Amino acid sequence: MTQQDYKANTAVRKRRVYMRKKICRFCADKKLHIDYKDAKTLRYFVSERGKILSARITGVCARHQRSLTTAIKYARHMALLPFTSSHVLSD
Amino acid sequence: MQLKHYETLYLMHPGMSEDDRSAFGGKLQDIITQSGGQVVLCDPWPLQRLAYKVQRQTQGYYVLLEYGAPANIIADITRELRLNDQVLKFLTIKHGDKFDAEAILKAKQSVPADSAAQPEAAPETISPEEEVQS
Ligand SMILES: [Zn+2]
């Protein structure tokens, strides 16, 4: 990689740093509370494979991410959410 | 004895008859009320698909119980749930050390108005995938 390329690369990367500041959905809307029984809402915070998405991706604040992970784990235990997509029931 | 605020969600076998299900629910509620506790909510969900197979079952009946009970009674409820082989899964959560039935029921009444307004707002919430691109 030439020096030029490297510089071009960092320029691109730098631009990506200035992303729109994400706000936590649960802080923004106080009525929205995290409930392990609400699988529909929790699905926004897991990947296609069923893995919990990082707060960096979803923009959830640290405090709500903590309660979100517990909620997702409760939901998995109760078979409301899958542990992994490979166990998901097909129609 | 001091009551604490609990919630129990349990999953029942799809082959169970409605009578059997409500009889078992009544049994649990009796345990709670006989110990001086109080049930504020008993919500049986309709037959629902499971996220994965549980004891080779793909569907089941969830029942949600919300109640105030003395702490020592939780062991009895857990034993009851564990001994019944028609119960596929269960989870008991403590909401708080204080149980105020009136406050809970009051909060419940105000919730339907809120939740009725929410489904409209839900679709416009941004899914994580969309957020990554922006
Ligand atoms: Zn937050």
Side-chain angles (χ1 to χ4, degrees):
Chain A
M1 196 192 273
T2 64
Q3 190 74 20
Q4 209 77 49
D5 285 341
Y6 178 75
K7 268 191 182 147
N9 252 337
T10 47
V12 169
R13 223 174 266 157
K14 257 195 186 142
R15 225 184 300 139
R16 295 222 58 194
V17 171
Y18 300 110
M19 273 196 300
R20 182 172 58 86
K21 181 91 182 81
K22 290 168 194 159
I23 41 141
C24 172
R25 278 175 59 175
F26 301 102
C27 286
D29 189 355
K30 293 273 186 269
K31 276 182 291 183
L32 216 72
H33 56 270
I34 298 169
D35 184 3
Y36 74 95
K37 298 184 292 298
D38 186 5
K40 216 169 126 197
T41 305
L42 295 180
R43 267 176 205 277
Y44 283 113
F45 301 96
V46 296
S47 71
E48 295 268 291
R49 291 206 119 215
K51 294 211 255 178
I52 299 172
L53 291 175
S54 80
R56 230 179 47 228
I57 292 169
T58 55
V60 177
C61 74
R63 172 198 280 231
H64 284 117
Q65 179 73 4
R66 276 199 299 278
S67 38
L68 204 51
T69 34
T70 7
I72 290 170
K73 286 167 185 180
Y74 283 154
R76 281 174 177 169
H77 170 76
M78 287 308 293
L80 295 167
L81 279 185
F83 280 94
T84 156
S85 61
S86 60
H87 294 161
V88 168
L89 302 168
S90 51
D91 290 293
Chain B
M1 206 182 293
Q2 208 214 332
L3 300 182
K4 294 180 179 183
H5 184 194
Y6 295 101
E7 167 185 318
T8 297
L9 181 69
Y10 60 96
L11 173 62
M12 308 218 79
H13 195 281
M16 246 183 135
S17 73
E18 195 172 347
D19 288 346
D20 287 347
R21 278 183 276 129
S22 56
F24 181 69
K27 203 170 167 189
L28 289 181
Q29 293 193 43
D30 284 346
I31 296 174
I32 294 161
T33 46
Q34 276 162 23
S35 67
Q38 187 186 347
V39 179
V40 284
L41 175 78
C42 175
D43 178 22
W45 299 3
L47 188 66
Q48 197 179 318
R49 244 173 100 81
L50 306 180
Y52 51 87
K53 278 190 185 175
V54 181
Q55 292 178 27
R56 282 183 269 119
Q57 301 305 317
T58 57
Q59 299 176 311
Y61 294 102
Y62 287 96
V63 182
L64 177 66
L65 277 181
E66 198 179 332
Y67 51 94
N72 61 320
I73 224 69
I74 297 304
D76 296 343
I77 290 167
T78 309
R79 177 158 24 84
E80 201 59 52
L81 288 161
R82 202 167 274 151
L83 285 179
N84 191 327
D85 55 7
Q86 300 287 75
V87 175
L88 307 179
K89 291 266 188 187
F90 65 89
L91 178 68
T92 301
I93 282 172
K94 185 172 82 177
H95 279 300
D97 285 328
K98 288 201 184 81
F99 176 73
D100 183 352
E102 276 175 45
I104 295 161
L105 289 170
K106 208 178 240 176
K108 286 237 183 299
Q109 275 167 354
S110 64
V111 163
D114 283 350
S115 59
Q118 264 171 21
E120 292 170 45
E124 61 177 291
T125 49
I126 319 137
S127 74
E129 288 83 4
E130 284 172 315
E131 279 204 355
V132 178
Q133 290 159 2
S134 58

